Structure formats: C-alpha cells, structure tokens
Amino acid sequence: MPHIFDKSRLPSRHVSVGPERAPHRSYYYAMGLSEEEIARPFVALASAGNDSAPCNTTLDAQADAARAGVVAGGGMPRRFNTITVTDGIAMGHQGMKSSLVSREVIADSVELSVRGHCYDALVGFAGCDKSLPGMMMAMLRLNVPSIFVYGGSILPGRHQGRDVTVVDVFEAVGGYAAGICPLAELTALEKVACPGHGACGGQFTANTMACVGEAIGLSLPNSNMVPAPYRAREDIAVAAGEGVMALLAANIRPRDICTRQAFENAARVVAATGGSTNAALHLPAMANEAGIVFDLHDVAELFKTTPYLADLKPGGRYVAKDMYEAGGVYMLMKTLLAGGYLHGDCLTATGRTLAENIDRVTWNPDQRVIYDVATPISPTGGVVGLTGTFAPEGAIVKVAGLHRLQFAGPARVFDCEEDAFAAVERRDIAEGSVVVIRYEGPKGGPGMREMLSTTAALYGLGLGEKVALITDGRFSGGTRGFCIGHVGPEAADGGPIALVEDGDPIRIDAEAGTIDLDVPASLLAERHARWSPRANEYGSGALWRYARTVGPAHSGAVTHPGARAETHVYADI
C-alpha cells in the first residue's frame, strides 16, 4: 500500500506547494505530471549510467525500473544522471588522474541536483569504482532517506578452460613485454575477458565497495552481488524504490544507519573478502560526510583483527558471480557475526537491524567460496596498514594471496608512473628491488593514480613477488604482489618518499605493520633542506582546483570539512 505523506514537512514543498510555487508546478505539468502526482514526495533516482564502459551500461535501465517501486510506495520518481571515469579505460595514462577526482564530482553533482530540485529521498545506482563511494558520500552528505544499488558485476570470461577477468589482460601485457605471451595469445584473451555488461568481476574496488554498501546498511540485503546481466537486477531496483519510500515514511536517514559501528562492520567485511586497498580511502571519505572521524589507522586496526574468509580474485580463485551463488555478502556476515566480529544492532535500509537481517539467512555448508570463521583462509585480514619512518602518516598493502609478508631491498626511484612502466617494459627492474613511484599522491599527481598497468606488467614478467612497489598513489583492487600505496605524507608535501634516493635500503614487514627507510635522520634532514615542491602540469581546470583543496590520503583525500563543520543538514530545509 502507498504511504501517506505530509509534504509540508518535506524539502519538495519548496518547489511544489502553495500559490507562490505555481511557476514551478508549471514545469511539472509540462512533463506530463498530474496534480495528484505533483502532490507526492519527489524521489531522486541518480544514475551513473553511460556508454563509457560495461560497468555502467545497465544502470539507466535499472534506475528506470525503480520508478515502479517509488510509485507503488506513494512517491514521484525523478531520474537524473551523473558522470563516471572508468578505471579500466583510464588506467596507465594521464586519464587516471581524473579517476579519484571523479568521486568528488559525482558526490558534488548528486548533491547539487538534489538540492537544486528539492528532492525528498534518493536511490543511487552506480557501477564503476569511484561512482560507488561517490554516490554513498552524497547520500550521507544530504542525509535524505536513501538506498544504494550496485549495478552488478560482469560475468567471468573463459579462456583456455579457465575463468578470466580484465586483470588477466593487464598481466598478459607484461607477459607480452617479456616475450612469454605471443601477440596472438594477448589478442585472443582481450576478446573474451569481458563477455558483457557489468563491473570488473573480481574482488576489485567496485565489488569491494558493493560489499561495503550492504555491510554498512545502505543497500538491501544480498542485492549487490547479483551479476549485471541477471533479470533479478530489475526486481532489486523495484524493491529499492519501494524501500526508500518506507524509509521516508519512517524518517530513517543515512546517518541513522551509518554510525561509527556500521563503518567498523564495513571495514571488517573488506578485510574478510581480501578487498581493495581503495576501501581505506573511501571509508574515511564517507565517514567525513557523516561527521565521523574514521581514518586509515582506524581502518587498519580493524583489518588487522579480522579473519580472511572469502576466496576471491585477485588473491584467490573465485569471482563475484561465485560469491553470489555461494550466498552473497550476508552469508559472509553471518559467520562474522557468529564469531563476534560485527555489531549486529546497527540499523539498515530495511528498517531492521543487521542481526535481524542475518537471522533470515541460512548458512550454506556446501559452498566453497566463503570460509567459516572457525576455519579461515588466514587468521588476519587480507589488507594491512603500515607505519614507520618511510610513511609516518601510514600506508596500506593487500596481503591476500601473498606468499611472503616481509621484504627488504634497495630503492629504485621514479618520479611518475610512466617512467616506472617504461623501465618495466625494458626489463630494467632488478629482482629484489623496491620500486618507488612518487609525486602521484592526491595533491602531487594530482589525482592519486592507480598503478595497475605497472603492477600487472611486473607480474607478467614474473617479478610479482620478487620486487616490492611503493607509491604515494593508489593501486587498483585488481593489483596483486607486494604493493604498498597511500604513503603519507605524500611527496608533494615533502614526506620521506620525496627524499628517498636510488639504493637507499627499505624494509617492509606486513606482519608487524611497519615500513622503514634505513637512512639516518640527519641525512634526511639535509636532503629536505635541499628539497623544493614540484610544479605539476595543471594550471587550470578541475585538476588544478582539486590539487588545491584535497587533503591527505590517510583522511580519505577529501576536499571539504564534512559534516563536522556543517550548520544545517539539507534534509531539514
């Protein structure tokens, strides 16, 4: 049954109620709305749909399917679109500088559209990496009743009798450079790795943040692991439309759901799935929108004490479709809750608590993707935080699938990713080296590029765990190997990574959580006295503005003070 709403208490009254709003209503009549429809709450359906990549191609159709649910719940759906920058296409060139910046643009554009049109609730649809946190950041910033919907993952490709993903193609590029992968093999692989619609299939950033959506309570239970091509995605979209109307009727808002405890739940799920290191950037950014202090160090502490349970690529064997068939995110959370790792009393988008939702799930002992907490893949999480003389503000490494947790060697320093990649292609990286790529941080890049092209090429050369790679930039969720990112302070701020020189000894211990530059403090002080900030190539535009407003990676690389500085919440206008 549709809910009954008092529109005099909702934001949309400013564009639809009273004689003074007659000009505004004339626009709605122009679009075919009736008087009765204009009197309903206005619900934003924000879609990151576009033709840029398969991650996003089904989103508009899913957003349109949600209209039926909104109408059934007594609302009036209003769809609009936002941008994406798709990492798989932006990767390995200057376009990747736009990727993290797009997270802020997505959040800002959704905020501005909702504010400008006075929408009362929000259902957000996202597919590629940065669009997921960007959409959830907007929900927390606006604090109107909201539900997040992931567009779903791609099905795995098949090549020579095995499941493959786009990461296999990136790694094959390295194999081609090494002369061990013929061009014909590379061409055959690229044609089958991505067989249709949906985001990258492994536990890369998109699927990691999709798991976060459910763990933190903004998504409906077991909705996000359903692959993009499945018909069930339409049913999920309709349910989200109905669900957001129930949240609006009960006045349950994102900040009621996304408490400090909910963020802890989300971090636990990231660790348990061996998820993307990018979650340690996005969770602090989302928390900032809710006025919660939850930085890299908080995330790392939770990672350190969470068992690794889901055998997912890139460190494991399975993809998102297999996770869905095994029972989804709630199957994983069932064993985590039973083991005492989750806060079960957190509210969710269903209006019920996490524990109440989990009670409806029956553990499946026959599946092989999700391990029980009593018999984990490893006793600690798949992602580890590091601190030390090389990274006083912290750094992060994914250890899922690694065979060694310590590394020491001489530095090989590059001032940008292109130079490092060229050295890899020349096979000019010695085994045992610690490759350092700097001036790729949030401010210094600007834009904090991912390094998948370089890390995958190293794997293709057979150097995946024979070298370490350290950067003040980021890594794709698809990266594997001994790769440390988010080093802070970044080089642009004169951190130790700006002062390291070729041959300097570096020690990394992912078990102890340390990363150290074995150079005397007096020598570093001399180098710092000679150091001066580098100018980047961006003297105007979005990247110029981003470089001047972005904060450090350990706080989420955010560009504004967040809810702690706000004087009012949009939802209360």
Side-chain angles (χ1 to χ4, degrees), residues 506-525:
I506 298 173
R507 289 182 295 108
I508 308 155
D509 189 333
E511 194 166 21
T514 58
I515 178 169
D516 290 300
L517 177 61
D518 288 338
V519 173
S522 58
L523 179 55
L524 288 180

mmCIF file with all atom_site columns, all heavy atoms in Angstrom, residues 506-525:
data_model
loop_
_atom_site.group_PDB
_atom_site.id
_atom_site.type_symbol
_atom_site.label_atom_id
_atom_site.label_alt_id
_atom_site.label_comp_id
_atom_site.label_asym_id
_atom_site.label_entity_id
_atom_site.label_seq_id
_atom_site.pdbx_PDB_ins_code
_atom_site.Cartn_x
_atom_site.Cartn_y
_atom_site.Cartn_z
_atom_site.occupancy
_atom_site.B_iso_or_equiv
_atom_site.pdbx_formal_charge
_atom_site.auth_seq_id
_atom_site.auth_comp_id
_atom_site.auth_asym_id
_atom_site.auth_atom_id
_atom_site.pdbx_PDB_model_num
ATOM 1   N N   . ILE A 1 506 ? 65.283 -0.132  2.142  1.00 0.00 ? 506 ILE A N   1
ATOM 2   C CA  . ILE A 1 506 ? 63.906 -0.037  2.636  1.00 0.00 ? 506 ILE A CA  1
ATOM 3   C C   . ILE A 1 506 ? 63.510 -1.401  3.183  1.00 0.00 ? 506 ILE A C   1
ATOM 4   O O   . ILE A 1 506 ? 63.779 -2.435  2.562  1.00 0.00 ? 506 ILE A O   1
ATOM 5   C CB  . ILE A 1 506 ? 62.942 0.393   1.513  1.00 0.00 ? 506 ILE A CB  1
ATOM 6   C CG1 . ILE A 1 506 ? 63.308 1.789   0.997  1.00 0.00 ? 506 ILE A CG1 1
ATOM 7   C CG2 . ILE A 1 506 ? 61.494 0.361   1.997  1.00 0.00 ? 506 ILE A CG2 1
ATOM 8   C CD1 . ILE A 1 506 ? 62.520 2.217   -0.234 1.00 0.00 ? 506 ILE A CD1 1
ATOM 9   N N   . ARG A 1 507 ? 62.859 -1.396  4.336  1.00 0.00 ? 507 ARG A N   1
ATOM 10  C CA  . ARG A 1 507 ? 62.379 -2.632  4.961  1.00 0.00 ? 507 ARG A CA  1
ATOM 11  C C   . ARG A 1 507 ? 60.864 -2.560  5.150  1.00 0.00 ? 507 ARG A C   1
ATOM 12  O O   . ARG A 1 507 ? 60.340 -1.568  5.671  1.00 0.00 ? 507 ARG A O   1
ATOM 13  C CB  . ARG A 1 507 ? 63.039 -2.860  6.317  1.00 0.00 ? 507 ARG A CB  1
ATOM 14  C CG  . ARG A 1 507 ? 64.498 -3.246  6.272  1.00 0.00 ? 507 ARG A CG  1
ATOM 15  C CD  . ARG A 1 507 ? 65.072 -3.493  7.658  1.00 0.00 ? 507 ARG A CD  1
ATOM 16  N NE  . ARG A 1 507 ? 65.074 -2.265  8.461  1.00 0.00 ? 507 ARG A NE  1
ATOM 17  C CZ  . ARG A 1 507 ? 64.248 -2.042  9.478  1.00 0.00 ? 507 ARG A CZ  1
ATOM 18  N NH1 . ARG A 1 507 ? 63.320 -2.920  9.799  1.00 0.00 ? 507 ARG A NH1 1
ATOM 19  N NH2 . ARG A 1 507 ? 64.351 -0.913  10.164 1.00 0.00 ? 507 ARG A NH2 1
ATOM 20  N N   . ILE A 1 508 ? 60.185 -3.627  4.736  1.00 0.00 ? 508 ILE A N   1
ATOM 21  C CA  . ILE A 1 508 ? 58.723 -3.710  4.863  1.00 0.00 ? 508 ILE A CA  1
ATOM 22  C C   . ILE A 1 508 ? 58.402 -4.993  5.610  1.00 0.00 ? 508 ILE A C   1
ATOM 23  O O   . ILE A 1 508 ? 58.910 -6.069  5.278  1.00 0.00 ? 508 ILE A O   1
ATOM 24  C CB  . ILE A 1 508 ? 58.045 -3.748  3.476  1.00 0.00 ? 508 ILE A CB  1
ATOM 25  C CG1 . ILE A 1 508 ? 58.525 -2.597  2.595  1.00 0.00 ? 508 ILE A CG1 1
ATOM 26  C CG2 . ILE A 1 508 ? 56.531 -3.735  3.617  1.00 0.00 ? 508 ILE A CG2 1
ATOM 27  C CD1 . ILE A 1 508 ? 58.405 -2.875  1.113  1.00 0.00 ? 508 ILE A CD1 1
ATOM 28  N N   . ASP A 1 509 ? 57.534 -4.887  6.624  1.00 0.00 ? 509 ASP A N   1
ATOM 29  C CA  . ASP A 1 509 ? 57.086 -6.064  7.369  1.00 0.00 ? 509 ASP A CA  1
ATOM 30  C C   . ASP A 1 509 ? 55.575 -5.970  7.521  1.00 0.00 ? 509 ASP A C   1
ATOM 31  O O   . ASP A 1 509 ? 55.066 -5.259  8.383  1.00 0.00 ? 509 ASP A O   1
ATOM 32  C CB  . ASP A 1 509 ? 57.763 -6.128  8.736  1.00 0.00 ? 509 ASP A CB  1
ATOM 33  C CG  . ASP A 1 509 ? 57.496 -7.449  9.457  1.00 0.00 ? 509 ASP A CG  1
ATOM 34  O OD1 . ASP A 1 509 ? 56.440 -8.070  9.191  1.00 0.00 ? 509 ASP A OD1 1
ATOM 35  O OD2 . ASP A 1 509 ? 58.329 -7.849  10.290 1.00 0.00 ? 509 ASP A OD2 1
ATOM 36  N N   . ALA A 1 510 ? 54.869 -6.676  6.638  1.00 0.00 ? 510 ALA A N   1
ATOM 37  C CA  . ALA A 1 510 ? 53.408 -6.617  6.655  1.00 0.00 ? 510 ALA A CA  1
ATOM 38  C C   . ALA A 1 510 ? 52.821 -7.393  7.822  1.00 0.00 ? 510 ALA A C   1
ATOM 39  O O   . ALA A 1 510 ? 51.640 -7.245  8.132  1.00 0.00 ? 510 ALA A O   1
ATOM 40  C CB  . ALA A 1 510 ? 52.844 -7.145  5.343  1.00 0.00 ? 510 ALA A CB  1
ATOM 41  N N   . GLU A 1 511 ? 53.631 -8.225  8.469  1.00 0.00 ? 511 GLU A N   1
ATOM 42  C CA  . GLU A 1 511 ? 53.156 -8.925  9.661  1.00 0.00 ? 511 GLU A CA  1
ATOM 43  C C   . GLU A 1 511 ? 53.207 -8.002  10.869 1.00 0.00 ? 511 GLU A C   1
ATOM 44  O O   . GLU A 1 511 ? 52.262 -7.926  11.656 1.00 0.00 ? 511 GLU A O   1
ATOM 45  C CB  . GLU A 1 511 ? 54.006 -10.170 9.898  1.00 0.00 ? 511 GLU A CB  1
ATOM 46  C CG  . GLU A 1 511 ? 53.399 -11.132 10.893 1.00 0.00 ? 511 GLU A CG  1
ATOM 47  C CD  . GLU A 1 511 ? 54.081 -12.500 10.853 1.00 0.00 ? 511 GLU A CD  1
ATOM 48  O OE1 . GLU A 1 511 ? 55.228 -12.594 10.372 1.00 0.00 ? 511 GLU A OE1 1
ATOM 49  O OE2 . GLU A 1 511 ? 53.451 -13.467 11.299 1.00 0.00 ? 511 GLU A OE2 1
ATOM 50  N N   . ALA A 1 512 ? 54.313 -7.269  11.000 1.00 0.00 ? 512 ALA A N   1
ATOM 51  C CA  . ALA A 1 512 ? 54.455 -6.314  12.108 1.00 0.00 ? 512 ALA A CA  1
ATOM 52  C C   . ALA A 1 512 ? 53.761 -4.990  11.818 1.00 0.00 ? 512 ALA A C   1
ATOM 53  O O   . ALA A 1 512 ? 53.536 -4.187  12.728 1.00 0.00 ? 512 ALA A O   1
ATOM 54  C CB  . ALA A 1 512 ? 55.936 -6.068  12.388 1.00 0.00 ? 512 ALA A CB  1
ATOM 55  N N   . GLY A 1 513 ? 53.443 -4.728  10.532 1.00 0.00 ? 513 GLY A N   1
ATOM 56  C CA  . GLY A 1 513 ? 52.791 -3.478  10.153 1.00 0.00 ? 513 GLY A CA  1
ATOM 57  C C   . GLY A 1 513 ? 53.743 -2.305  10.073 1.00 0.00 ? 513 GLY A C   1
ATOM 58  O O   . GLY A 1 513 ? 53.384 -1.183  10.439 1.00 0.00 ? 513 GLY A O   1
ATOM 59  N N   . THR A 1 514 ? 54.966 -2.551  9.580  1.00 0.00 ? 514 THR A N   1
ATOM 60  C CA  . THR A 1 514 ? 55.967 -1.487  9.544  1.00 0.00 ? 514 THR A CA  1
ATOM 61  C C   . THR A 1 514 ? 56.524 -1.299  8.136  1.00 0.00 ? 514 THR A C   1
ATOM 62  O O   . THR A 1 514 ? 56.582 -2.230  7.336  1.00 0.00 ? 514 THR A O   1
ATOM 63  C CB  . THR A 1 514 ? 57.143 -1.800  10.492 1.00 0.00 ? 514 THR A CB  1
ATOM 64  O OG1 . THR A 1 514 ? 57.730 -3.056  10.123 1.00 0.00 ? 514 THR A OG1 1
ATOM 65  C CG2 . THR A 1 514 ? 56.665 -1.869  11.933 1.00 0.00 ? 514 THR A CG2 1
ATOM 66  N N   . ILE A 1 515 ? 56.968 -0.075  7.863  1.00 0.00 ? 515 ILE A N   1
ATOM 67  C CA  . ILE A 1 515 ? 57.654 0.254   6.613  1.00 0.00 ? 515 ILE A CA  1
ATOM 68  C C   . ILE A 1 515 ? 58.674 1.333   6.945  1.00 0.00 ? 515 ILE A C   1
ATOM 69  O O   . ILE A 1 515 ? 58.325 2.436   7.384  1.00 0.00 ? 515 ILE A O   1
ATOM 70  C CB  . ILE A 1 515 ? 56.668 0.699   5.509  1.00 0.00 ? 515 ILE A CB  1
ATOM 71  C CG1 . ILE A 1 515 ? 57.413 1.077   4.232  1.00 0.00 ? 515 ILE A CG1 1
ATOM 72  C CG2 . ILE A 1 515 ? 55.748 1.827   5.977  1.00 0.00 ? 515 ILE A CG2 1
ATOM 73  C CD1 . ILE A 1 515 ? 56.500 1.261   3.023  1.00 0.00 ? 515 ILE A CD1 1
ATOM 74  N N   . ASP A 1 516 ? 59.955 1.010   6.758  1.00 0.00 ? 516 ASP A N   1
ATOM 75  C CA  . ASP A 1 516 ? 61.020 1.894   7.229  1.00 0.00 ? 516 ASP A CA  1
ATOM 76  C C   . ASP A 1 516 ? 62.053 2.167   6.152  1.00 0.00 ? 516 ASP A C   1
ATOM 77  O O   . ASP A 1 516 ? 62.399 1.285   5.349  1.00 0.00 ? 516 ASP A O   1
ATOM 78  C CB  . ASP A 1 516 ? 61.706 1.271   8.443  1.00 0.00 ? 516 ASP A CB  1
ATOM 79  C CG  . ASP A 1 516 ? 60.805 1.269   9.671  1.00 0.00 ? 516 ASP A CG  1
ATOM 80  O OD1 . ASP A 1 516 ? 60.400 2.374   10.100 1.00 0.00 ? 516 ASP A OD1 1
ATOM 81  O OD2 . ASP A 1 516 ? 60.484 0.178   10.177 1.00 0.00 ? 516 ASP A OD2 1
ATOM 82  N N   . LEU A 1 517 ? 62.540 3.397   6.159  1.00 0.00 ? 517 LEU A N   1
ATOM 83  C CA  . LEU A 1 517 ? 63.630 3.848   5.298  1.00 0.00 ? 517 LEU A CA  1
ATOM 84  C C   . LEU A 1 517 ? 64.882 3.906   6.164  1.00 0.00 ? 517 LEU A C   1
ATOM 85  O O   . LEU A 1 517 ? 64.971 4.712   7.099  1.00 0.00 ? 517 LEU A O   1
ATOM 86  C CB  . LEU A 1 517 ? 63.294 5.226   4.724  1.00 0.00 ? 517 LEU A CB  1
ATOM 87  C CG  . LEU A 1 517 ? 64.338 5.908   3.848  1.00 0.00 ? 517 LEU A CG  1
ATOM 88  C CD1 . LEU A 1 517 ? 64.640 5.083   2.607  1.00 0.00 ? 517 LEU A CD1 1
ATOM 89  C CD2 . LEU A 1 517 ? 63.849 7.309   3.450  1.00 0.00 ? 517 LEU A CD2 1
ATOM 90  N N   . ASP A 1 518 ? 65.842 3.014   5.884  1.00 0.00 ? 518 ASP A N   1
ATOM 91  C CA  . ASP A 1 518 ? 67.038 2.906   6.732  1.00 0.00 ? 518 ASP A CA  1
ATOM 92  C C   . ASP A 1 518 ? 68.097 3.918   6.306  1.00 0.00 ? 518 ASP A C   1
ATOM 93  O O   . ASP A 1 518 ? 69.175 3.565   5.799  1.00 0.00 ? 518 ASP A O   1
ATOM 94  C CB  . ASP A 1 518 ? 67.590 1.487   6.673  1.00 0.00 ? 518 ASP A CB  1
ATOM 95  C CG  . ASP A 1 518 ? 66.710 0.500   7.413  1.00 0.00 ? 518 ASP A CG  1
ATOM 96  O OD1 . ASP A 1 518 ? 65.944 0.936   8.289  1.00 0.00 ? 518 ASP A OD1 1
ATOM 97  O OD2 . ASP A 1 518 ? 66.770 -0.708  7.100  1.00 0.00 ? 518 ASP A OD2 1
ATOM 98  N N   . VAL A 1 519 ? 67.754 5.174   6.517  1.00 0.00 ? 519 VAL A N   1
ATOM 99  C CA  . VAL A 1 519 ? 68.662 6.289   6.222  1.00 0.00 ? 519 VAL A CA  1
ATOM 100 C C   . VAL A 1 519 ? 68.709 7.167   7.469  1.00 0.00 ? 519 VAL A C   1
ATOM 101 O O   . VAL A 1 519 ? 67.658 7.449   8.067  1.00 0.00 ? 519 VAL A O   1
ATOM 102 C CB  . VAL A 1 519 ? 68.154 7.103   5.008  1.00 0.00 ? 519 VAL A CB  1
ATOM 103 C CG1 . VAL A 1 519 ? 68.992 8.354   4.812  1.00 0.00 ? 519 VAL A CG1 1
ATOM 104 C CG2 . VAL A 1 519 ? 68.173 6.244   3.752  1.00 0.00 ? 519 VAL A CG2 1
ATOM 105 N N   . PRO A 1 520 ? 69.886 7.594   7.922  1.00 0.00 ? 520 PRO A N   1
ATOM 106 C CA  . PRO A 1 520 ? 69.972 8.416   9.133  1.00 0.00 ? 520 PRO A CA  1
ATOM 107 C C   . PRO A 1 520 ? 69.102 9.670   9.039  1.00 0.00 ? 520 PRO A C   1
ATOM 108 O O   . PRO A 1 520 ? 69.009 10.299  7.974  1.00 0.00 ? 520 PRO A O   1
ATOM 109 C CB  . PRO A 1 520 ? 71.455 8.777   9.213  1.00 0.00 ? 520 PRO A CB  1
ATOM 110 C CG  . PRO A 1 520 ? 72.153 7.696   8.461  1.00 0.00 ? 520 PRO A CG  1
ATOM 111 C CD  . PRO A 1 520 ? 71.219 7.313   7.355  1.00 0.00 ? 520 PRO A CD  1
ATOM 112 N N   . ALA A 1 521 ? 68.490 10.024  10.155 1.00 0.00 ? 521 ALA A N   1
ATOM 113 C CA  . ALA A 1 521 ? 67.622 11.202  10.191 1.00 0.00 ? 521 ALA A CA  1
ATOM 114 C C   . ALA A 1 521 ? 68.378 12.458  9.798  1.00 0.00 ? 521 ALA A C   1
ATOM 115 O O   . ALA A 1 521 ? 67.824 13.358  9.158  1.00 0.00 ? 521 ALA A O   1
ATOM 116 C CB  . ALA A 1 521 ? 67.017 11.357  11.590 1.00 0.00 ? 521 ALA A CB  1
ATOM 117 N N   . SER A 1 522 ? 69.673 12.513  10.148 1.00 0.00 ? 522 SER A N   1
ATOM 118 C CA  . SER A 1 522 ? 70.465 13.701  9.804  1.00 0.00 ? 522 SER A CA  1
ATOM 119 C C   . SER A 1 522 ? 70.615 13.843  8.293  1.00 0.00 ? 522 SER A C   1
ATOM 120 O O   . SER A 1 522 ? 70.568 14.952  7.749  1.00 0.00 ? 522 SER A O   1
ATOM 121 C CB  . SER A 1 522 ? 71.837 13.625  10.466 1.00 0.00 ? 522 SER A CB  1
ATOM 122 O OG  . SER A 1 522 ? 72.516 12.439  10.052 1.00 0.00 ? 522 SER A OG  1
ATOM 123 N N   . LEU A 1 523 ? 70.785 12.701  7.594  1.00 0.00 ? 523 LEU A N   1
ATOM 124 C CA  . LEU A 1 523 ? 70.919 12.749  6.145  1.00 0.00 ? 523 LEU A CA  1
ATOM 125 C C   . LEU A 1 523 ? 69.588 13.139  5.496  1.00 0.00 ? 523 LEU A C   1
ATOM 126 O O   . LEU A 1 523 ? 69.562 13.934  4.534  1.00 0.00 ? 523 LEU A O   1
ATOM 127 C CB  . LEU A 1 523 ? 71.390 11.391  5.614  1.00 0.00 ? 523 LEU A CB  1
ATOM 128 C CG  . LEU A 1 523 ? 71.553 11.263  4.095  1.00 0.00 ? 523 LEU A CG  1
ATOM 129 C CD1 . LEU A 1 523 ? 72.474 12.341  3.554  1.00 0.00 ? 523 LEU A CD1 1
ATOM 130 C CD2 . LEU A 1 523 ? 72.064 9.875   3.725  1.00 0.00 ? 523 LEU A CD2 1
ATOM 131 N N   . LEU A 1 524 ? 68.476 12.615  6.023  1.00 0.00 ? 524 LEU A N   1
ATOM 132 C CA  . LEU A 1 524 ? 67.161 13.010  5.504  1.00 0.00 ? 524 LEU A CA  1
ATOM 133 C C   . LEU A 1 524 ? 66.924 14.498  5.714  1.00 0.00 ? 524 LEU A C   1
ATOM 134 O O   . LEU A 1 524 ? 66.341 15.170  4.854  1.00 0.00 ? 524 LEU A O   1
ATOM 135 C CB  . LEU A 1 524 ? 66.053 12.194  6.173  1.00 0.00 ? 524 LEU A CB  1
ATOM 136 C CG  . LEU A 1 524 ? 65.936 10.727  5.771  1.00 0.00 ? 524 LEU A CG  1
ATOM 137 C CD1 . LEU A 1 524 ? 64.784 10.071  6.524  1.00 0.00 ? 524 LEU A CD1 1
ATOM 138 C CD2 . LEU A 1 524 ? 65.724 10.589  4.264  1.00 0.00 ? 524 LEU A CD2 1
ATOM 139 N N   . ALA A 1 525 ? 67.383 15.026  6.858  1.00 0.00 ? 525 ALA A N   1
ATOM 140 C CA  . ALA A 1 525 ? 67.229 16.460  7.120  1.00 0.00 ? 525 ALA A CA  1
ATOM 141 C C   . ALA A 1 525 ? 68.016 17.289  6.107  1.00 0.00 ? 525 ALA A C   1
ATOM 142 O O   . ALA A 1 525 ? 67.535 18.338  5.638  1.00 0.00 ? 525 ALA A O   1
ATOM 143 C CB  . ALA A 1 525 ? 67.679 16.779  8.542  1.00 0.00 ? 525 ALA A CB  1
#
